[in-house]
Amino acid sequence: VLDAVGAKCHTFNAQALSTTLWAVGRIGIIPSPEVLFTITEEVSAKIRTFTPQGLSNVLWSLTSLSYNPGPSILRTISLEVSRKSPNISSKNLSSILKSFSILQYLPEDAIMQKLTESFLKEVEIAVPQSTCQLLWSFASLGYSPGLDVLDILHLRASTLLDEYTTIHLANTLWSYSTLSFDPGESFLSRLVDSFVLQVKEASPQAIANIVWAIASLGYGLKGNQHAPILEEVCSRIRRGNQFSVQELTNIVWAFSVMGMREKKDPNFDQLWQYSLDSVATEGPGRKLAQLFHSKLLLEAQNEESGTNKGRYTLPRSLNSLAEQSWNTVVLKEAILSRFHGQVSSSLKRLKVAHKVEQLTRNKYLSVDILLPDHNLVVEVDGPSHFSMNTLRMSGSTLARNRLLEHWSYSVICIPYFGWPSSEQAQDKFLSMLLKPYCGEKTK
């Protein structure tokens, strides 16, 4: 039948093409690449005759069949979606954008803006699935629709929050974190409380995503949230692993960044050990780098609290691979920003000896600027270190500062939004910042 479709699809109209693709996607039997190529070429040729539902069905089927027809055909489809967007429902718009994100195709800005505008016209009747799906698509595509749009979607999410399932809750928070949007402590508390009530129904990915997002946004879990989530993770581990290696390392990293609430937590100890066993066969890469970062943070916390220093160590062979993975991330060639260069130039004018992009003594972190004579680190923090709406410092930036201070460095952070524009004002600003550490030398 599929061969016959490939041979005769040139006689199909738009409805027949979209229905055929939808049906094949539902059946789950993947046609040959040749047949799929022929069908999608016909779709492209007859694109103007497709209904909004037909366009949505075509994109859905391509994702179901894991078939990417290439940027040319996807652009043709996106242009037609844009043309018809005023007549496409919010449900179908979010589904279309989800398909584009799964196919890893980012339409042009003008198209994204038009689709977003069409969705916002129906935002007050948008259901949880559509609202969450739209945010997830933006985040997955690496597309920021702008603060005004995110504020409107956040208001809708706040209204619908009590209707959200665990996957909606986790994906919404993951999207906010990926887009560097701070939802605020009140919303976050409501969301996590709702997730905790449903945690036994949550997928492993949802659990990993929600704790990763909380930590990445620079927040922590309350006691009545921390314990049940960690208990559920360990309960599943005891019943047989339900988590991928990446999910496990994400969870360990998140709890390490947020900080353990108790000096001794048997559940976290079990999670740590199970994670070590799971990554034992991994080669160098992101998972091991993440585990090494977690180890550094846990060691710092244990030493500061007087807990057993060697409690969270890595076996020697694994530690070597993990350190190698971490160094690959940390020691990549730095690209100095204009902001970075201005701070260095100001230090020169103030006659303050400094070094740019220097490794810490243990070679575990590269710092923006080091003043060796004062054991002082100056971090030049651009937009990626803060949320876009509230300028809250990110979890990874807070973790960086915590490690540097634990390693006996004084740390000054210069945020991009506080840096003056003129050289005279820059020098005065920096002189005031350095005075407690460098005395009158910078006056």
Side-chain angles (χ1 to χ4, degrees), residues 45-208:
K46 296 169 181 173
I47 194 69
R48 283 297 186 106
T49 60
F50 277 78
T51 64
Q53 185 63 54
L55 293 168
S56 180
N57 286 349
V58 166
L59 285 166
W60 175 85
S61 63
L62 293 176
T63 61
S64 297
L65 297 168
S66 300
Y67 179 73
N68 190 324
S72 177
I73 286 180
L74 288 175
R75 183 175 186 272
T76 299
I77 295 173
S78 72
L79 286 168
E80 189 61 21
V81 168
S82 176
R83 195 173 71 86
K84 292 190 164 97
S85 63
N87 300 316
I88 303 178
S89 67
S90 57
K91 179 182 177 182
N92 278 346
L93 282 169
S94 65
S95 176
I96 286 167
L97 279 169
K98 179 185 176 183
S99 296
F100 281 138
S101 65
I102 292 172
L103 294 168
Q104 298 182 325
Y105 175 77
L106 176 59
E108 299 153 24
D109 278 355
I111 293 175
M112 291 296 292
Q113 288 169 14
K114 195 166 181 183
L115 299 189
T116 303
E117 287 168 5
S118 296
F119 184 95
L120 292 183
K121 288 177 182 176
E122 291 192 356
V123 72
E124 291 187 4
I125 61 170
V127 297
Q129 175 77 5
S130 301
T131 308
C132 175
Q133 209 162 242
L134 185 71
L135 283 167
W136 181 88
S137 300
F138 287 153
S140 298
L141 287 167
Y143 173 79
S144 177
L147 191 51
D148 289 345
V149 171
L150 290 175
D151 280 337
I152 294 170
L153 293 176
H154 180 56
L155 184 61
R156 184 59 183 164
S158 300
T159 304
L160 297 171
L161 196 58
D162 293 338
E163 301 174 39
Y164 275 22
T165 64
T166 54
I167 194 65
H168 296 147
L169 295 167
N171 281 354
T172 294
L173 204 56
W174 177 87
S175 301
Y176 283 157
S177 177
T178 304
L179 293 167
S180 298
F181 180 85
D182 177 11
E185 192 165 358
S186 175
F187 177 89
L188 186 71
S189 183
R190 280 181 60 208
L191 184 148
V192 179
D193 283 343
S194 180
F195 187 87
V196 168
L197 290 174
Q198 308 173 62
V199 69
K200 293 191 181 301
E201 304 161 20
S203 68
Q205 185 181 31
I207 295 174

Side-chain angles (χ1 to χ4, degrees), residues 273-344:
Q273 189 55 53
Y274 194 85
S275 299
L276 296 188
D277 296 339
S278 299
V279 300
T281 56
E282 290 284 322
R286 180 173 177 264
K287 303 180 191 77
L288 283 178
Q290 204 171 28
L291 199 62
F292 191 78
H293 191 201
S294 302
K295 184 201 83 158
L296 295 176
L297 290 165
L298 291 167
E299 282 179 346
Q301 181 173 331
N302 281 351
E303 289 176 26
E304 289 162 9
S305 64
T307 315
N308 179 10
K309 182 179 177 181
R311 191 169 173 197
Y312 298 114
T313 56
L314 301 175
R316 184 175 297 177
S317 58
L318 185 60
N319 188 75
S320 178
L321 280 175
E323 186 173 350
Q324 177 186 336
S325 301
W326 175 251
N327 288 340
T328 301
V329 173
V330 173
L331 304 183
K332 61 185 179 184
E333 187 176 352
I335 301 174
L336 300 186
S337 66
R338 180 168 169 268
F339 177 23
H340 199 159
Q342 286 180 350
V343 175
S344 178

